[in-house]
Amino acid sequence: MDARTRLKTLPLRNRPRRLRHSTRLRAAVRETVLTPADFIYPLFIVHGENVRDPIPSMPGICQLSVDQAVEEAGRAAAAGISAVLLFGIPASKDPIGHENFDDDGIIQRTVRALKDALPDLLVVTDVCLCEYTDHGHCGVLNHENPVLPAGYVLNDETLDVLARVSVSHARAGADVVAPSGMIDGMVAGIREGLDEYGYDHIPIMSYAIKYASAFYGPFRDAAQGAPKFGDRRTHQMDPGNVREALKEAALDVGEGADFLMVKPALAYLDVIRRVRDAHPELPMVAYNVSGEYSMVKAAGERGWLDERSIALENLTAIKRAGADLIITYHALDAARWIEGRPPA
Ligand code: PBG
């Protein structure tokens, strides 16, 4: 038999299944591997002591007082997680949210306590107004300008507050500030503020692409930052848009963003991929948001899906789409699952 005929009689030469034979082989050729260092763990901080108030729509996640946040962050650091992301719930709210830039505010106190107890754990702070304002909007609202609707989020007035908040967080010791309000020019405004006060070494993790998403519902319970009227569609992005996401990313890069973020993650994997490809020079973050977490939790509690497998599959998908870092409420459990340890 000549070589040609032999080739024809051979069974399929190309058998991808050859590489799937054993656990060891599959692990050796796996392209996307999660590690605990991929994760950023969000924490909700409240005033008081010894507080661990469960958030009903986010099973497993609590509002924590500063002391409890230090304990929880200690568990995160021990599990190999890179960073915590802090959201503060102030003692009182007002139209511009004064506690947000008070050096003795809830976040400033938490940052000092965390850097003191866990100097190696990165502390990222959320920079936005909605948890601090009595109206629940992400900026200063219009009352006087007749050209704009009453209650419209004023862009440039909000930038001043965001810069003050960022400087105050940096002064407390924050490693990274993360503006989440989708206010035009927020990266440039914050950069200018930080540089002016000598914090030119503090990076900005910009929520460059944040959609007006219903997936934030449980978060708004957790952070008590739901708008009292209206919605966020005049500044957050329309879910149907992706070209606009590339424009938002390019603008933030131009303003000096050090990280780019896409939020939410699972329903926007195509956006993560597009932004990753358009900006290979910057680290990419994806926010696996509250609603995405709660869906997995709810189905897991009902026995409809296996929480652990689904959570790890989702996180792998987000990383495969191009995220270098993933903000996730599953961080602590996922880090332990990856390391083969039992969850908390
Ligand atoms: C505040 C902010 C929100 C989230 C993070 N920062 C809510 C919103 O924009 O209404 C959502 C996070 C989550 O759902 O987990 N600007």
Side-chain angles (χ1 to χ4, degrees):
M1 205 192 289
D2 65 315
R4 227 152 145 210
T5 334
R6 198 165 68 235
L7 234 171
K8 267 200 202 142
T9 61
L10 271 177
L12 270 173
R13 294 209 133 191
N14 233 331
R15 288 182 179 271
R17 288 186 57 192
R18 280 191 205 112
L19 294 178
R20 299 179 196 140
H21 257 299
S22 67
T23 308
R24 189 55 79 196
L25 197 49
R26 288 191 295 273
V29 299
R30 187 164 298 134
E31 298 170 41
T32 305
V33 181
L34 289 172
T35 77
D38 299 334
F39 304 139
I40 299 178
Y41 187 32
L43 301 177
F44 300 103
I45 322 291
V46 290
H47 285 275
E49 238 174 272
N50 223 7
V51 182
R52 275 192 87 84
D53 270 348
I55 299 155
S57 53
M58 300 177 70
I61 303 296
C62 295
Q63 292 183 336
L64 306 168
S65 50
V66 178
D67 55 301
Q68 291 300 310
V70 171
E71 304 243 324
E72 189 75 3
R75 287 186 272 276
I81 290 169
S82 287
V84 288
L85 170 62
L86 305 183
F87 295 95
I89 294 113
S92 66
K93 306 193 185 211
D94 59 69
I96 70 159
H98 281 85
E99 188 176 326
N100 212 354
F101 46 85
D102 181 341
D103 284 341
D104 210 27
I106 186 71
I107 287 304
Q108 291 80 352
R109 287 170 41 201
T110 309
V111 172
R112 286 195 292 269
L114 285 173
K115 291 314 293 183
D116 203 38
L118 304 159
D120 290 337
L121 180 72
L122 292 174
V123 175
V124 185
T125 56
D126 181 73
V127 174
C128 193
L129 270 61
C130 54
E131 292 108 45
Y132 293 84
T133 49
D134 50 10
H135 43 72
H137 281 285
C138 303
V140 180
L141 297 187
N142 177 47
H143 298 295
E144 281 148 29
N145 184 341
V147 175
L148 294 170
Y152 185 78
V153 174
L154 293 172
N155 203 84
D156 299 14
E157 288 78 351
T158 301
L159 293 180
D160 294 338
V161 181
L162 294 176
R164 283 181 77 173
V165 173
S166 302
V167 170
S168 173
H169 288 180
R171 192 182 292 130
D175 296 293
V176 179
V177 294
S180 63
M182 290 296 280
I183 304 301
D184 290 342
M186 67 183 182
V187 173
I190 289 171
R191 186 73 274 154
E192 207 176 289
L194 288 172
D195 292 357
E196 189 183 329
Y197 284 86
Y199 299 108
D200 50 3
H201 61 295
I202 298 298
I204 300 174
M205 181 184 284
S206 177
Y207 287 63
I209 296 130
K210 177 172 175 181
Y211 287 91
S213 168
F215 281 107
Y216 308 149
F219 173 96
R220 292 180 187 172
D221 299 339
Q224 290 158 14
K228 293 278 175 321
F229 59 88
D231 54 44
R232 307 212 202 287
R233 285 184 239 193
T234 65
H235 47 102
Q236 298 181 351
M237 276 183 50
D238 190 292
N241 294 359
V242 67
R243 293 193 303 265
E244 188 188 357
L246 298 175
K247 171 173 155 186
E248 284 281 2
L251 282 171
D252 280 22
V253 171
E255 291 176 28
D258 300 284
F259 299 80
L260 290 176
M261 194 193 302
V262 172
K263 172 185 175 183
L266 288 173
Y268 299 87
L269 294 177
D270 58 322
V271 183
I272 297 174
R273 170 49 57 198
R274 295 283 295 270
V275 174
R276 154 50 67 234
D277 289 346
H279 298 282
E281 75 280 18
L282 285 195
M284 273 273 308
V285 188
Y287 200 143
N288 179 213
V289 300
S290 57
E292 298 176 324
Y293 170 82
S294 300
M295 289 196 303
V296 175
K297 278 285 182 186
E301 278 179 5
R302 291 190 170 208
W304 290 354
L305 290 172
D306 177 53
E307 181 194 352
R308 173 186 163 141
S309 315
I310 292 286
L312 292 176
E313 189 171 331
N314 280 344
L315 293 166
T316 302
I318 296 168
K319 185 168 180 178
R320 194 191 63 232
D324 301 296
L325 290 163
I326 306 170
I327 303 171
T328 176
Y329 303 97
H330 264 120
L332 200 46
D333 282 342
R336 289 168 166 160
W337 289 329
I338 291 166
E339 304 285 298
R341 289 161 53 188

